[in-house]
Amino acid sequence: MRNKILAILKKEGEYVSGQTISEQLGISRAAVWKHIKKLRNDGYEIASVTNRGYRLINHDSVTPDAVSDGLKTEFIGKNIFYFDKTDSTNDRAKAEHDAPDGSLFIAETQNGGKGRRGRAWTSPRGEGIFMSLLLKPDIPPDEISQITLIAGLAVCRAVGNDAIIKWPNDVVINSKKICGILTELAAEDDMISYVVCGIGINVNTEKFDAELAERATSLLIETGKKHKRAEIVQSVLTEFEALYKEFLKNRLDNILPEYEKMCVTIGREVNVVYRNKSINGMAAGIASDGSLIVDTPEGRITVSSGEVSVRGMYGYI
Ligand code: BTN
């Protein structure tokens, strides 16, 4: 019934009286009101004005309805935990780690959003995508960084607009970051119990604080128009599932060529911290385990994690 009410509100785009809805659906006005209350609790912004009725204000939500409507994945994002507000979707996923493989945790805003290296991830309400996937792959813990790589590629494919990847998994448009990924894992006896892959995408942010503005951008800033977040979430889930299934079968074998093509780091001068030393070199490619191959004056090294600065990006010149 709530979906039918939603459909009426979406179709009209204007105020619809409780009477009209109750007549169209053959339910009482009190029942209409009860469903409207429930829709609001689920994150829909619905205005109500005496003598005019109800109007759906915010079409752009990432509610379970919005995300699952038309989603064709097999298991990624099929089970959804939605939060109007939460501390961090990664922490929610960890707290619910018995939930099914591929469960999606998604929030309109986070007040404890976490970035890599203990940084905070700013999560303004309704402007971005703040989501985490709970995954249960049967792989050893040292292969987990490869999942982060495919998440980056999935976002890159989903957002389009010339998005590229800064190794390992920042998604970048015009040299500025549009998405960050934080993967966390729990392991026992050298096998993964579960992985939480947290993805933050800047979608409809109009302006960043001066400090962030140098390094961050949003889809709105880059394209000049607002985007439906639920549609982007669906594309990310779809692309991620395809890549993840391929990864579980053949690891990165068939994925690396596309990743390398999309990876801005390769062929550029980079600075890496390697064995506690800061070294400059030329990024030459990605190894089969997903680590970065760097040619340095001291020879070829492979870097599997850590901070890599690319000359000309985020202020590293
Ligand atoms: C980075 O530092 O680049 C990683 C940022 C990851 C942010 C996302 S938003 C959804 C999920 N929940 C979190 O607390 N962090 C990740």
Side-chain angles (χ1 to χ4, degrees):
M1 187 54 68
R2 59 198 292 280
N3 286 347
K4 288 188 180 158
I5 296 181
L6 255 185
I8 294 176
L9 294 175
K10 277 185 183 162
K11 186 162 161 251
E12 294 304 324
E14 253 315 313
Y15 281 96
V16 193
S17 72
Q19 183 67 31
T20 310
I21 301 176
S22 85
E23 278 167 13
Q24 279 191 25
L25 300 178
I27 56 171
S28 69
R29 286 177 64 174
V32 173
W33 168 238
K34 243 177 57 193
H35 287 297
I36 296 277
K37 234 167 95 182
K38 176 125 200 343
L39 284 167
R40 282 184 177 146
N41 280 342
D42 288 350
Y44 289 95
E45 212 180 316
I46 299 170
S48 60
V49 171
T50 324
N51 293 331
R52 295 187 72 191
Y54 306 105
R55 185 166 76 91
L56 182 62
I57 293 183
N58 183 10
H59 281 241
D60 180 39
S61 63
V62 287
T63 56
D65 284 345
V67 169
S68 49
D69 185 16
L71 180 68
K72 293 200 175 63
T73 53
E74 250 170 59
F75 69 104
I76 296 291
K78 280 300 187 195
N79 187 46
I80 303 178
F81 292 76
Y82 169 78
F83 307 89
D84 179 59
K85 177 180 184 173
T86 191
D87 45 1
S88 152
T89 53
N90 268 30
D91 289 347
R92 290 309 96 227
K94 285 194 257 175
E96 297 284 347
H97 63 259
D98 285 335
D101 191 13
S103 290
L104 170 71
F105 296 74
I106 189 158
E108 298 289 349
T109 181
Q110 303 179 118
N111 53 9
K114 302 184 295 183
R116 287 164 61 216
R117 313 196 162 265
R119 295 180 194 125
W121 186 261
T122 320
S123 312
R125 170 173 292 279
E127 291 182 15
I129 291 168
F130 315 111
M131 62 182 254
S132 304
L133 287 170
L134 176 67
L135 304 165
K136 303 186 173 175
D138 196 8
I139 60 170
D142 60 0
E143 293 185 14
I144 179 203
S145 59
Q146 301 176 34
I147 294 183
T148 316
L149 245 61
I150 62 170
L153 186 54
V155 173
C156 214
R157 285 182 181 178
V159 301
N161 288 292
D162 297 328
I164 44 178
I165 304 167
K166 174 182 171 288
W167 184 90
N169 54 19
D170 280 359
V171 179
V172 167
I173 300 183
N174 281 330
S175 296
K176 289 186 178 181
K177 181 160 162 173
I178 197 152
C179 162
I181 296 167
L182 175 68
T183 308
E184 300 182 85
L185 93 161
E188 230 174 82
D189 297 332
D190 257 4
M191 277 319 272
I192 284 180
S193 310
Y194 63 88
V195 175
V196 172
C197 182
I199 302 177
I201 309 177
N202 305 327
V203 181
N204 290 326
T205 304
E206 283 175 25
K207 204 169 181 287
F208 289 93
D209 291 350
E211 197 205 331
L212 268 180
E214 276 183 19
R215 306 153 33 90
T217 189
S218 73
L219 266 183
L220 170 63
I221 295 172
E222 296 303 322
T223 63
K225 59 175 196 230
K226 288 210 172 188
H227 294 257
K228 289 255 163 71
R229 287 173 301 141
E231 285 175 10
I232 298 172
V233 173
Q234 289 186 343
S235 306
V236 172
L237 297 175
T238 308
E239 297 297 351
F240 182 84
E241 183 172 276
L243 288 162
Y244 184 62
K245 279 160 76 179
E246 168 60 30
F247 165 77
L248 292 178
K249 262 199 251 147
N250 303 311
R251 295 297 186 269
L252 296 177
D253 291 357
N254 300 319
I255 298 173
L256 270 188
E258 181 185 352
Y259 182 91
E260 285 196 314
K261 225 170 75 195
M262 303 294 256
C263 182
V264 62
T265 313
I266 295 165
R268 303 273 287 262
E269 208 177 298
V270 293
N271 176 273
V272 298
V273 177
Y274 183 71
R275 295 187 177 150
N276 290 329
K277 242 173 67 185
S278 161
I279 309 182
N280 287 342
M282 186 64 78
I286 308 289
S288 58
D289 66 352
S291 48
L292 183 70
I293 304 165
V294 183
D295 288 328
T296 77
E298 293 163 39
R300 178 162 277 199
I301 59 172
T302 55
V303 188
S304 58
S305 67
E307 208 73 333
V308 169
S309 321
V310 179
R311 190 175 162 90
M313 286 187 86
Y314 304 171
Y316 169 61
I317 301 292

